[in-house]
Amino acid sequence: MKQTIKIFLLGAIAALSMTSCDDPVYPNIDNGEGFGTGSLKTASLSVSVLNSEEVLESRAGVDVSNFTVKIINEAGETVNTWLYSKMPEIVTLNVGKYTLEVYNEECKDADWDSPYYYATKEFTIAKNDVSTIGEVVCKLANVKVSVKYSDALKAALGDDVNVNVVVGNQFSLDYKYGEERAGFFRYIEGSSTLVATFSGTVEGYYISDYKVISDVAPGQHRIITFSLKSTPDTPDESGSIGNTGLSLDFSVDKVDLTLDNPVTEDPVDPDDMLELGEQALSFTNVAGSKTVTITSTGDWTATSNASWCTVAPASGAKGTTTVTVNVTENESMESGRSAVVTFRMGDVETELTVTQAPKPDETAPTITSETLDLSSVNNYTESLVAKVLINAPNGIANLNVVINSETLTPAELESVELCDRFDLVDPQYPSNSPYNGNPDYAGVLNTKLSALGFPTQSNVAGQTSLEFDITGFLPMLKALGSGQSNFVLEVVDTKRQIVSAAIRINIPE
């Protein structure tokens, strides 16, 4: 299989022709008071961790003894570093301005159960004076992502199911069947996109689908829940999922772990139950309605904190009830909006998050195709033209591509010096690639993508209209054998407006 890719790629190319912490640094800084020294009373430093999602035994319930405390001078040099538990009580420093950083460990690109807590605080050392710090509160500074399934879908899953999560178009983890751990991803300023791609067998049929989340931020816990939308029927002879009747619903719950949400210590009767079928609903900007089920062991009420979002009925009795959530039209083009519907049963309550998109901007980018069905899977034929038209009146800032394929796997792509995710405006190997940072491979990815017919760099950046054509890529997919391949496109324009679509190609057996 690797040889097939190499032959194809070669043919296409031919056709196109730590700073050390042991020794303190004392710079000569003059802040107007002349040269000299002062002291920092490090014994005044109190480190705690804020995590609104967990009940901590105390504010410092997370063990901070092994947190790193670093002092950086105004020139950006590290003056000294200690473990919090081993700091001296007082430190002599040159006169000047400093920054204190506190963190639990070095932030990882993507890993399981690896929260990165971080805090920073500025202070000044005056000549012959003693400065104090006070409390420094560390907050989650990477992105937490959990993947869950509804009970009905969980019962139908095959053991080949995988959810690939990519944050910032760089850092990824595979949530394989049975994975219950949370993934933590490094956040890069300006890269606020998360792509979750589901692939695998459901009720004996292969399904591949994806969800793009465009407002990811550090300190968030994104809970992605998959559920089964409908019951399968008989597939056609090609095995296309388009006729199986199977499809997935995605819901995404957002929890901000940087907020100090006090947790009640009052015990809850274990016999009390108040559960919702969904924890979040999303709407386009137009007025609409969606339903959610509520199961309770007693009488309940429902209230919304926004006038544009209502629920009916607003109360109910023991058992299972279907309620309707209604939203009015959102006429704002500036931003989306959110509401919280709170369901209460005595002292027990649960919340439903409702979000609504803004009115589409006429200048927002679009992705269309005259030859492909972008809402479904396209079966390969020799005459298939895999081309989309991208319109971005404000100009393209980024064109991110994620390849999720049964046959064109990350390992196969890596074997020919390609990768499964890249930005065509500035093609670079992702951080988990063995070619990342290697000067011998500078520009190689751009050359190989161009050889395969992808537009890159100046042929993409700033363009207001662009054809994205992977028709020349299809013979390689055909040569690799049967299976489905998804090319997820995300267009970001110069106003940071985002649109996404997927080219889904199935190679029949």
Side-chain angles (χ1 to χ4, degrees), residues 23 41 50 52 69 72 90 107 142 172 213 237 240 254 272 291 295 300 320 345 349 356 391 404 467 470 480:
D23 300 318
K41 188 177 181 181
L50 187 155
S52 64
V69 179
I72 302 170
I90 195 163
C107 185
N142 51 1
S172 70
I213 305 164
E237 293 181 357
S240 168
K254 178 174 69 175
D272 287 343
T291 61
T295 303
W300 55 269
T320 299
M345 183 188 69
E349 65 177 46
Q356 188 176 30
N391 282 305
N404 184 276
E467 282 191 351
I470 62 168
L480 292 173

Side-chain angles (χ1 to χ4, degrees), residues 210-485:
Y210 75 101
K211 174 76 172 181
V212 178
I213 305 164
S214 59
D215 58 347
V216 175
Q220 290 181 356
H221 182 189
R222 290 292 186 151
I223 305 168
I224 305 170
T225 303
F226 296 87
S227 57
L228 197 58
K229 186 180 293 185
S230 58
T231 304
D233 53 24
T234 304
D236 61 22
E237 293 181 357
S238 70
S240 168
I241 69 166
N243 295 324
T244 65
L246 274 175
S247 57
L248 298 177
D249 266 334
F250 296 72
S251 69
V252 182
D253 198 11
K254 178 174 69 175
V255 180
D256 189 344
L257 302 186
T258 65
L259 301 178
D260 195 358
N261 298 328
V263 182
T264 179
E265 296 182 358
D266 295 335
V268 176
D269 187 336
D271 293 329
D272 287 343
M273 182 182 69
L274 183 66
E275 294 183 351
L276 297 177
E278 302 285 349
Q279 295 297 322
L281 295 177
S282 59
F283 292 83
T284 63
N285 74 294
V286 299
S289 301
K290 291 187 178 182
T291 61
V292 63
T293 59
I294 177 171
T295 303
S296 69
T297 54
D299 295 344
W300 55 269
T301 60
T303 57
S304 170
N305 67 348
S307 59
W308 56 268
C309 175
T310 59
V311 58
S315 62
K318 173 182 178 180
T320 299
T321 305
T322 298
V323 299
T324 301
V325 178
N326 305 289
V327 298
T328 60
E329 182 179 2
N330 184 7
E331 298 181 351
S332 171
M333 290 193 301
E334 297 299 321
S335 62
R337 56 188 182 181
S338 63
V340 176
V341 179
T342 303
F343 294 82
R344 293 186 178 87
M345 183 188 69
D347 294 332
V348 181
E349 65 177 46
T350 187
E351 294 181 344
L352 173 70
T353 302
V354 180
T355 57
Q356 188 176 30
K359 183 178 181 180
D361 188 334
E362 292 182 358
T363 66
T366 60
I367 303 175
T368 59
S369 178
E370 296 182 352
T371 62
L372 296 170
D373 183 353
L374 297 180
S375 65
S376 186
V377 178
N378 299 267
N379 281 323
Y380 170 80
T381 63
E382 291 185 358
S383 61
L384 180 65
V385 177
K387 180 169 62 177
V388 301
L389 177 63
I390 299 171
N391 282 305
N394 298 305
I396 297 173
N398 303 94
L399 177 48
N400 299 315
V401 181
V402 177
I403 302 174
N404 184 276
S405 171
E406 291 184 90
T407 54
L408 199 59
T409 64
E412 297 290 350
L413 289 165
E414 184 180 297
S415 71
V416 291
E417 300 170 355
L418 290 171
C419 54
D420 63 344
R421 56 185 58 84
F422 42 83
D423 180 359
L424 289 173
V425 169
D426 183 22
Q428 300 289 338
Y429 290 107
S431 60
N432 61 349
S433 169
Y435 311 118
N436 177 266
N438 188 331
D440 293 337
Y441 286 90
V444 170
L445 180 60
N446 180 69
T447 299
K448 289 182 177 283
L449 291 174
S450 297
L452 291 170
F454 288 96
T456 65
Q457 297 183 332
S458 61
N459 292 321
V460 180
Q463 299 295 322
T464 58
S465 181
L466 178 70
E467 282 191 351
F468 182 86
D469 190 347
I470 62 168
T471 304
F473 208 75
L474 299 184
M476 179 165 65
L477 295 180
K478 173 67 173 176
L480 292 173
S482 62
Q484 183 173 324
S485 297

Side-chain angles (χ1 to χ4, degrees), residues 46-349:
S46 172
V47 176
S48 61
V49 174
L50 187 155
N51 187 343
S52 64
E53 199 175 43
E54 298 177 2
V55 181
L56 306 179
E57 294 178 1
S58 66
R59 190 81 191 278
V62 172
D63 183 10
V64 299
S65 62
N66 288 322
F67 275 39
T68 297
V69 179
K70 181 185 291 187
I71 294 178
I72 302 170
N73 64 24
E74 200 168 5
E77 301 168 310
T78 298
V79 173
N80 220 326
T81 303
W82 310 272
L83 292 180
Y84 177 57
S85 60
K86 296 182 178 181
M87 287 193 308
E89 292 188 0
I90 195 163
V91 177
T92 299
L93 296 169
N94 284 340
V95 168
K97 296 180 180 179
Y98 294 85
T99 299
L100 182 84
E101 290 186 347
V102 182
Y103 52 91
N104 62 323
E105 61 180 19
E106 295 296 334
C107 185
K108 300 174 182 176
D109 290 343
D111 205 354
W112 304 107
D113 295 336
S114 297
Y116 173 58
Y117 297 113
Y118 176 84
T120 183
K121 193 170 187 177
E122 296 181 350
F123 65 95
T124 300
I125 295 295
K127 189 174 182 178
N128 299 326
D129 196 8
V130 178
S131 301
T132 59
I133 290 291
E135 184 180 25
V136 175
V137 180
C138 293
K139 299 181 180 181
L140 186 70
N142 51 1
V143 181
K144 181 179 181 180
V145 179
S146 297
V147 172
K148 298 183 177 181
Y149 308 96
S150 68
D151 290 341
L153 178 58
K154 189 182 297 183
L157 293 178
D159 58 11
D160 63 336
V161 163
N162 181 70
V163 177
N164 175 256
V165 174
V166 181
V167 174
N169 200 42
Q170 294 191 51
F171 312 123
S172 70
L173 287 174
D174 286 315
Y175 293 68
K176 297 185 182 300
Y177 176 79
E179 181 61 71
E180 296 183 352
R181 294 173 296 177
F184 288 81
F185 300 80
R186 182 191 295 273
Y187 176 81
I188 295 180
E189 191 68 33
S191 298
S192 59
T193 300
L194 182 156
V195 179
T197 303
F198 177 102
S199 60
T201 303
V202 180
E203 293 285 6
Y205 304 115
Y206 181 81
I207 287 183
S208 181
D209 207 347
Y210 75 101
K211 174 76 172 181
V212 178
I213 305 164
S214 59
D215 58 347
V216 175
Q220 290 181 356
H221 182 189
R222 290 292 186 151
I223 305 168
I224 305 170
T225 303
F226 296 87
S227 57
L228 197 58
K229 186 180 293 185
S230 58
T231 304
D233 53 24
T234 304
D236 61 22
E237 293 181 357
S238 70
S240 168
I241 69 166
N243 295 324
T244 65
L246 274 175
S247 57
L248 298 177
D249 266 334
F250 296 72
S251 69
V252 182
D253 198 11
K254 178 174 69 175
V255 180
D256 189 344
L257 302 186
T258 65
L259 301 178
D260 195 358
N261 298 328
V263 182
T264 179
E265 296 182 358
D266 295 335
V268 176
D269 187 336
D271 293 329
D272 287 343
M273 182 182 69
L274 183 66
E275 294 183 351
L276 297 177
E278 302 285 349
Q279 295 297 322
L281 295 177
S282 59
F283 292 83
T284 63
N285 74 294
V286 299
S289 301
K290 291 187 178 182
T291 61
V292 63
T293 59
I294 177 171
T295 303
S296 69
T297 54
D299 295 344
W300 55 269
T301 60
T303 57
S304 170
N305 67 348
S307 59
W308 56 268
C309 175
T310 59
V311 58
S315 62
K318 173 182 178 180
T320 299
T321 305
T322 298
V323 299
T324 301
V325 178
N326 305 289
V327 298
T328 60
E329 182 179 2
N330 184 7
E331 298 181 351
S332 171
M333 290 193 301
E334 297 299 321
S335 62
R337 56 188 182 181
S338 63
V340 176
V341 179
T342 303
F343 294 82
R344 293 186 178 87
M345 183 188 69
D347 294 332
V348 181
E349 65 177 46

Side-chain angles (χ1 to χ4, degrees), residues 18-26 78-82:
M18 287 183 316
T19 304
S20 173
C21 300
D22 298 327
D23 300 318
V25 177
Y26 296 112
T78 298
V79 173
N80 220 326
T81 303
W82 310 272

